[in-house]
Amino acid sequence: MALHLSWVSVFGDLGVIVSFMVAFSPLPAFYQIYKKKTSEGFQSLPYVISLFSAMLWIYYALLKKNEMHLIVINIFCCFIQSFYIVTYFYYGRKKEKLEAVKLMLLFNVFGSGLIFFSTYFLHNPKTRLCILGYICLGFSASTYAAPLAIVRKVIKTKSVEFMPFTLSVFLTIQAVMWFFYGLLKKDINIAGPNILGFIFGILQMILYAIYKNHPKKMVVEDPKLQLSDQLESVVSSDLNTTAPQPKDKDYNNGGGGGGDVEAQNIKKNALDASQKV
């Protein structure tokens, strides 16, 4: 019995440590927002969803009791996701701020409130915990479908530049730690969703091995969409990296052909000079 509890504690501690590292992964993206003083090209949805998920798991852990590992990591997630949302809101345009407020009201106010009041006043504590556990399981399982967007991009472009290998490894390790934690505690609500996390993590690493040495394929695509796709791929966890933004001012303002016109003018001037000689 003591050995069983020690292994539960080991996997719980490792799960918390790895989850801390994953939670910090979007910091480079938000440093870019700070430098550019704009959140253009980013979306608030992944961070609102992550905050909502953390709130659900805290509620579940408090009802179940003796779930200090879940409480610690999800309180930290609430803090860090709130920081991301505030940063996004501060540097966002009016339209983006309005969208972020709508999402917060929908998920973090109305959604969490509805779940709380529909379960807290149930007379049977076991029924309450069971229903809430199924809600957490279903929600966490659905968020693990997010990496499919980046997997599709990798297969389409045959390039892994938008799928950082290190992040894929840490997400896989995180899923393994929490799976064994839930398994040892005989809690399918914790263990179940992480099976999907492990499968998608292994899939990403296999794709990385296949395409890591493949020549880069240029794909004409809005750079804002590239950046947005990356951020959405870490909703269950979040996380994320950023795609390079074009530096040409004319391109950013919608004048993507400015470079071609300039090249043609240089070529024409050189031709005229040769004819004069």
Side-chain angles (χ1 to χ4, degrees):
M1 183 66 178
L3 181 63
H4 174 81
L5 291 176
S6 65
W7 277 110
V8 170
S9 180
V10 167
F11 282 111
D13 291 341
L14 291 174
V16 169
I17 292 171
V18 177
S19 296
F20 267 111
M21 299 173 70
V22 172
F24 278 119
S25 61
L27 278 178
F30 279 85
Y31 179 67
Q32 187 178 98
I33 289 178
Y34 169 75
K35 286 178 63 178
K36 294 186 175 182
K37 309 299 182 186
T38 176
S39 61
E40 185 177 2
F42 291 80
Q43 292 186 6
S44 61
L45 180 61
Y47 308 101
V48 172
I49 295 294
S50 295
L51 177 60
F52 177 58
S53 178
M55 292 168 65
L56 287 181
W57 282 110
I58 290 174
Y59 181 32
Y60 176 81
L62 289 173
L63 289 181
K64 190 177 180 183
K65 300 177 182 180
N66 299 320
E67 287 291 353
M68 187 55 63
H69 291 98
L70 285 181
I71 292 175
V72 168
I73 187 57
N74 284 290
I75 287 178
F76 173 75
C77 284
C78 283
F79 170 78
I80 195 69
Q81 298 303 330
S82 297
F83 168 77
Y84 293 147
I85 293 170
V86 169
T87 303
Y88 176 90
F89 189 83
Y90 183 80
Y91 290 109
R93 295 176 300 181
K94 184 176 180 180
K95 182 179 179 181
E96 294 170 339
K97 291 180 180 179
L98 184 60
E99 181 182 356
V101 170
K102 288 180 179 179
L103 290 172
M104 289 285 291
L105 290 174
L106 176 63
F107 287 100
N108 304 107
V109 178
F110 178 76
S112 58
L114 180 63
I115 292 172
F116 175 80
F117 286 109
S118 62
T119 57
Y120 185 78
F121 295 104
L122 292 174
H123 296 293
N124 191 329
K126 290 184 178 180
T127 302
R128 179 198 310 156
L129 187 63
C130 182
I131 293 174
L132 181 60
Y134 284 141
I135 292 173
C136 290
L137 186 152
F139 186 82
S140 296
S142 65
T143 59
Y144 275 115
L148 289 176
I150 199 68
V151 166
R152 177 177 174 272
K153 181 182 288 291
V154 170
I155 295 174
K156 181 180 178 181
T157 63
K158 294 182 172 56
S159 171
V160 295
E161 60 180 319
F162 301 120
M163 186 180 69
F165 179 74
T166 305
L167 182 58
S168 299
V169 171
F170 276 109
L171 288 173
T172 305
I173 295 174
Q174 175 185 252
V176 171
M177 295 301 105
W178 288 116
F179 168 76
F180 281 109
Y181 176 83
L183 185 67
L184 291 172
K185 298 206 74 170
K186 299 179 181 179
D187 192 329
I188 189 62
N189 299 317
I190 299 174
N194 288 288
I195 297 175
L196 287 177
F198 175 76
I199 292 173
F200 283 124
I202 294 296
L203 175 60
Q204 290 182 57
M205 287 190 284
I206 291 174
L207 287 175
Y208 187 91
I210 294 173
Y211 294 118
K212 66 177 180 178
N213 295 322
H214 198 280
K216 291 184 179 181
K217 180 179 179 181
M218 297 302 295
V219 179
V220 179
E221 186 175 10
D222 188 345
K224 296 180 185 179
L225 296 179
Q226 292 178 355
L227 192 58
S228 175
D229 286 345
Q230 291 181 74
L231 292 174
E232 289 183 355
S233 68
V234 234
V235 157
S236 66
S237 340
D238 265 282
L239 122 120
N240 199 37
T241 53
T242 59
Q245 295 280 348
K247 296 182 179 179
D248 185 58
K249 294 182 179 180
D250 292 333
Y251 186 93
N252 288 331
N253 292 328
D260 293 337
V261 174
E262 183 179 355
Q264 291 174 6
N265 289 335
I266 294 173
K267 185 176 180 181
K268 182 179 178 181
N269 292 336
L271 182 60
D272 291 343
S274 63
Q275 289 176 350
K276 290 179 180 179
V277 174

